[in-house]
Amino acid sequence: MIIFKKEVDVHAFLLNKKQEKQTIGFVPTMGALHEGHISLIHKSKSINTLTVCSIFVNPTQFNNPQDFEKYPITIDEDILMLEDAGCDVLFLPSTHEIYPDHFVKINYDLGYLETILEGKYRPGHFQGVCMVVERLLQIIPCDVLFLGQKDYQQCMVIDKMLSLRKMNVELNIAETIREADGLAMSSRNRRLSPEERTQSAVIFKTLIEIKDKIGKIPFDSIIADSKKNLEDFGFDVDYVELKDYYLHPIENDTSNKGIVALIAATINNIRLIDNMIVVEKNR
Ligand code: AMP
């Protein structure tokens, strides 16, 4: 695996590869890698001839400075995992490389996506996400961008950003990889104490219960029961919501729409999110 730290070097290297007709898959991450990230590397490798990963803890997407400061950094282990997975290129930029002095910030018109769910609870977060992903895509000339369904709304936001900015990049969304008890893998899980880690399985269990109850019980009751469930295990709940695939609101109608359940909840200042398709479209 070749490691680049400078924009000019990685950009020139990849343009060369494109001229050689290689197809480039790109997996942007913030490091503290786990099997969820590695699944994206494998997926990219199965479709592309060259796979690039980036590790950059993007300060502009943290609305909570403490969360940024406490974000785990495990570069040496990350490099070993990426080498093991057969990743071809790692881009490891400094903050100044991503946001040089001449960097011009723009505002992305994300519409309703910015006022609901994560957008509502993390003001400015998705502007920061768009900012860093657009910047990374300027540097990494990829054919396919790989994102995880774990961050469902983020996938929608990046899809919107790609069309707003008319970027010719295919978006490939990979399924969520989970621990044995169902907890979605996340870099933040490392901060959980053993007890909190055990309690956190309640998020996945709640999603499964929602899937079981949907169509049998009114949405309001499902949501109220779910919140209580999470609170009983020590979580402060930001939201439990049911939306259509595009994150539009839905009524008590499960007939032919796809429905996704989304949860955000915090334990001991560690905020976890997860989601599940609970009704498939046209089932
Ligand atoms: P992050 O480092 O948390 O910014 O995540 C980098 C990419 O990995 C994002 O596209 C995430 O959605 C994806 N990802 C994070 N956790 C998982 C998981 N458990 N399964 C699959 N993809 C994931």
Side-chain angles (χ1 to χ4, degrees), residues 72-114:
I73 293 178
T74 58
I75 280 296
D76 293 343
E77 289 98 316
D78 292 352
I79 291 173
L80 290 177
M81 283 178 82
L82 289 171
E83 276 181 335
D84 215 40
C87 182
D88 301 294
V89 171
L90 170 60
F91 181 46
L92 207 54
S94 66
T95 305
H96 193 256
E97 201 65 19
I98 295 295
Y99 301 121
D101 296 336
H102 57 81
F103 180 78
V104 181
K105 200 173 150 181
I106 64 162
N107 187 66
Y108 298 87
D109 182 8
L110 302 173
Y112 71 99
L113 286 173
E114 218 177 350

Side-chain angles (χ1 to χ4, degrees), residues 53-257:
C53 178
S54 66
I55 297 180
F56 177 63
V57 185
N58 174 36
T60 67
Q61 73 185 69
F62 285 85
N63 51 312
N64 175 351
Q66 272 188 345
D67 194 24
F68 176 59
E69 279 154 29
K70 289 192 183 154
Y71 204 83
I73 293 178
T74 58
I75 280 296
D76 293 343
E77 289 98 316
D78 292 352
I79 291 173
L80 290 177
M81 283 178 82
L82 289 171
E83 276 181 335
D84 215 40
C87 182
D88 301 294
V89 171
L90 170 60
F91 181 46
L92 207 54
S94 66
T95 305
H96 193 256
E97 201 65 19
I98 295 295
Y99 301 121
D101 296 336
H102 57 81
F103 180 78
V104 181
K105 200 173 150 181
I106 64 162
N107 187 66
Y108 298 87
D109 182 8
L110 302 173
Y112 71 99
L113 286 173
E114 218 177 350
T115 60
I116 58 166
L117 305 165
E118 293 303 284
K120 177 174 164 192
Y121 284 91
R122 302 186 67 187
H125 168 65
F126 285 131
Q127 290 296 325
V129 169
C130 287
M131 198 187 292
V132 76
V133 174
E134 181 173 10
R135 179 78 182 108
L136 285 167
L137 290 174
Q138 286 166 357
I139 300 171
I140 311 289
C142 68
D143 300 283
V144 191
L145 172 66
F146 291 85
L147 300 177
Q149 190 202 310
K150 154 87 169 39
D151 299 285
Y152 192 97
Q153 192 175 4
Q154 174 167 278
C155 296
M156 300 272 148
V157 162
I158 295 302
D159 194 33
K160 173 92 182 168
M161 186 276 282
L162 293 175
S163 78
L164 283 172
R165 305 297 290 161
K166 300 186 173 50
M167 298 182 100
N168 188 21
V169 176
E170 183 187 327
L171 186 56
N172 187 312
I173 299 173
E175 71 178 75
T176 303
I177 304 297
R178 301 178 178 282
E179 303 285 356
D181 64 359
L183 177 65
M185 289 191 183
S186 164
S187 307
R188 290 191 171 86
N189 294 353
R190 293 166 197 253
R191 290 174 47 204
L192 299 165
S193 71
E195 196 193 346
E196 289 157 3
R197 168 66 193 79
T198 308
Q199 284 162 277
S200 298
V202 68
I203 298 176
F204 178 69
K205 292 206 182 84
T206 304
L207 289 168
I208 294 284
E209 279 177 31
I210 294 174
K211 194 171 181 177
D212 287 345
K213 287 178 185 165
I214 213 147
K216 300 174 192 156
I217 302 176
F219 285 8
D220 285 356
S221 315
I222 295 178
I223 287 170
D225 291 351
S226 302
K227 285 183 176 165
K228 179 156 188 322
N229 233 357
L230 292 158
E231 282 162 7
D232 287 348
F233 279 82
F235 278 90
D236 289 325
V237 181
D238 278 351
Y239 58 78
V240 175
E241 292 208 34
L242 296 167
K243 300 277 190 190
D244 78 6
Y245 281 2
Y246 302 98
L247 299 179
H248 296 129
I250 37 167
E251 304 300 323
N252 265 307
D253 167 20
T254 55
S255 50
N256 60 3
K257 284 187 189 128

